[in-house]
Amino acid sequence: MEEGDQMGHSFIMHLPDDCLFLIFDKFDSSVDRESFGLTCHRLLNIQNFSRKSLEFGCSFSRFSHSLSGNSVDIDTFILDKLIKRFTQLESLSLSGCVNLEDSGLVALERYGSKLHSLFLDCCFKVTDKSLVSVAIGCQSLTSISLYRCAVTDNGLIVIAESCVSLKDLNLEWCIPITDMGISSVTKHCRVIRAIKISHCENIKGFGFKDCSQTLKCLEADSCKFEPEGVMDILSGGGLEYVNVSSLSWCVRGNGLKAIGGGFGANIKILNFRVCRFVNDEMIMVISKGCPLLKEWNLSLCTEIGFSGWESIGLYCDNLEKIHVNGCRRLCDRGIAALRNGCKRLSIMYITRCREVSQLAITMFQHARFDVEIKFEEVMCIMPKQFF
């Protein structure tokens, strides 16, 4: 080491820790931070203490739910060392670590007290044993994603009883989960904000009974709710976004009418895509009972006739976006009803509506130049603030 470097090194070594933390925070790049940490053990300790998040570079995306062949193979020994090294972690993402086993998360029992967010998407070997470790060490957890993990009600109950500050919970494709596990979450996690249970076909909705009013978001694509279960889902009264798409083959009766029966007064976004059982009566009740509704996806709701579209035009005063792709009973009269009503409408998504003529579309465009007609289909309409 040259004399100038030695003097600089000696000067840094005599700075108090709070000054070194300030210097570390000024570095913009991870390379600079690594170089800082390699200077000496004291600086390395500051680097370790300053790291708040850890995410492994894998091709898995929590948003597209895709996983390429280049998945991450995390060794339990290495993960254990990293968790013990970075003891101030607030966010840990192991998504796509398909070979991660329960033993890999044992270190969280002692070193996970600062953790707020944990992502275990597609960690196929993670079971209830891992959730026990999380429950013991990560009681400050506010967000956990268990997409496609091999967990059951037993593990979920342990998490719910220990992590009472939980706000965001992703259980998509956790098929063994039932209303028993959900009931524990709604009972103990009274600040819960968003839950994803898509493709959890063993959940009927009853576990949501008396849920907290803080529950704003429910993502429940391809579930099998009972009519009474739908009422329990709405019982908290706080839901603003509800996705119950692809329920055409599993809901008995007119359970979704409850949304317009006073339970869904705060709902702003509804996704009924591929709910083929939705009829004019349901549409009328919901149009009247959801005064705050801003976006409604009715794509492939094939049983909605003129009276349904007329109800939307008459009563959905705050509707800004509507999706009508593949609505086979939507005709020129229905388009006219939407054109003459829905005064705040700004976007209409429309494709594959064979009974709608080009003339009706042209008349709509001339009369409502403030509305953008998009000849495309949008699959996901969940607000970005959730998850």
Side-chain angles (χ1 to χ4, degrees):
M1 183 180 294
E2 296 182 0
E3 183 178 353
D5 292 335
Q6 289 178 339
M7 292 178 62
H9 183 270
S10 176
F11 172 73
I12 290 176
M13 289 306 95
H14 286 86
L15 288 174
D17 284 351
D18 55 349
C19 291
L20 291 177
F21 274 115
L22 288 174
I23 294 173
F24 184 79
D25 287 338
K26 294 295 183 181
F27 292 134
D28 295 326
S29 70
S30 59
V31 174
D32 290 338
R33 289 172 179 254
E34 291 295 332
S35 299
F36 179 88
L38 292 173
T39 305
C40 71
H41 284 296
R42 185 176 174 217
L43 300 186
L44 181 62
N45 289 336
I46 289 177
Q47 181 197 30
N48 295 343
F49 194 83
S50 299
R51 181 179 283 274
K52 303 299 182 183
S53 64
L54 183 63
E55 181 173 358
F56 291 93
C58 66
S59 58
F60 178 81
S61 169
R62 294 194 300 273
F63 302 102
S64 65
H65 285 167
S66 60
L67 184 67
S68 75
N70 298 320
S71 55
V72 178
D73 189 5
I74 296 298
D75 180 83
T76 296
F77 177 77
I78 294 176
L79 181 58
D80 182 79
K81 290 292 184 182
L82 289 172
I83 291 175
K84 291 178 180 178
R85 175 184 173 185
F86 303 117
T87 59
Q88 302 300 307
L89 287 179
E90 296 178 1
S91 177
L92 175 62
S93 177
L94 298 168
S95 298
C97 299
V98 297
N99 293 316
L100 177 67
E101 297 182 350
D102 292 323
S103 56
L105 296 178
V106 171
L108 290 179
E109 294 182 12
R110 293 185 59 190
Y111 302 99
S113 62
K114 303 291 184 179
L115 208 62
H116 293 161
S117 301
L118 179 62
F119 302 97
L120 298 171
D121 307 74
C122 285
C123 293
F124 303 128
K125 296 182 179 180
V126 164
T127 71
D128 293 342
K129 292 181 179 180
S130 287
L131 298 191
V132 171
S133 296
V134 172
I136 292 173
C138 311
Q139 297 186 14
S140 297
L141 209 63
T142 60
S143 178
I144 185 169
S145 185
L146 300 168
Y147 173 79
R148 286 190 181 273
C149 290
V151 297
T152 72
D153 286 338
N154 294 331
L156 185 57
I157 290 171
V158 170
I159 286 290
E161 291 178 348
S162 297
C163 305
V164 295
S165 298
L166 203 61
K167 292 182 179 180
D168 300 327
L169 173 64
N170 186 355
L171 298 169
E172 289 185 301
W173 286 99
C174 294
I175 297 176
I177 298 295
T178 72
D179 287 284
M180 183 188 303
I182 296 298
S183 180
S184 183
V185 172
T186 56
K187 177 182 177 181
H188 297 285
C189 305
R190 300 304 293 176
V191 294
I192 193 73
R193 185 182 70 124
I195 299 178
K196 287 185 177 183
I197 53 172
S198 296
H199 303 279
C200 293
E201 58 184 28
N202 291 313
I203 297 175
K204 307 301 180 185
F206 305 117
F208 288 90
K209 185 174 178 60
D210 299 324
C211 59
S212 172
Q213 193 174 9
T214 61
L215 182 61
K216 305 294 183 184
C217 167
L218 178 66
E219 186 86 359
D221 184 358
S222 301
C223 289
K224 291 186 176 181
F225 297 140
E226 297 289 342
E228 298 82 2
V230 174
M231 296 186 67
D232 289 338
I233 287 170
L234 299 165
S235 62
L239 280 170
E240 297 179 1
Y241 165 79
V242 179
N243 175 10
V244 287
S245 55
S246 300
L247 296 181
S248 59
W249 44 274
C250 54
V251 172
R252 295 187 297 103
N254 293 332
L256 294 186
K257 284 177 61 177
I259 293 175
F263 294 100
N266 290 315
I267 292 178
K268 297 177 181 178
I269 302 177
L270 275 176
N271 191 345
F272 281 5
R273 188 178 183 276
V274 203
C275 290
R276 301 184 190 278
F277 60 90
V278 171
N279 55 30
D280 292 342
E281 182 185 4
M282 287 187 188
I283 293 296
M284 184 178 298
V285 172
I286 294 172
S287 297
K288 292 180 179 180
C290 297
L292 302 182
L293 192 60
K294 291 185 176 182
E295 183 170 4
W296 202 349
N297 190 343
L298 294 167
S299 297
L300 294 168
C301 292
T302 54
E303 298 304 312
I304 304 174
F306 170 70
S307 61
W309 303 114
E310 183 181 41
S311 298
I312 294 174
L314 288 173
Y315 303 113
C316 293
D317 296 330
N318 289 304
L319 196 66
E320 298 175 0
K321 298 179 183 180
I322 189 168
H323 306 246
V324 298
N325 305 279
C327 294
R328 66 184 183 188
R329 294 187 62 192
L330 176 62
C331 61
D332 289 359
R333 290 178 66 210
I335 287 291
L338 296 176
R339 180 191 70 204
N340 296 330
C342 300
K343 298 305 182 182
R344 295 191 179 182
L345 195 65
S346 60
I347 298 177
M348 180 170 68
Y349 297 91
I350 179 170
T351 58
R352 308 189 311 282
C353 295
R354 297 181 179 179
E355 299 300 316
V356 177
S357 67
Q358 183 57 51
L359 176 61
I361 296 294
T362 301
M363 292 177 63
F364 191 109
Q365 290 173 317
H366 283 156
R368 297 292 303 273
F369 56 86
D370 56 323
V371 179
E372 182 180 5
I373 296 181
K374 293 191 175 185
F375 300 100
E376 60 186 76
E377 186 167 6
V378 177
M379 305 299 291
C380 179
I381 61 173
M382 184 176 68
K384 293 182 179 180
Q385 69 261 29
F386 300 120
F387 295 96

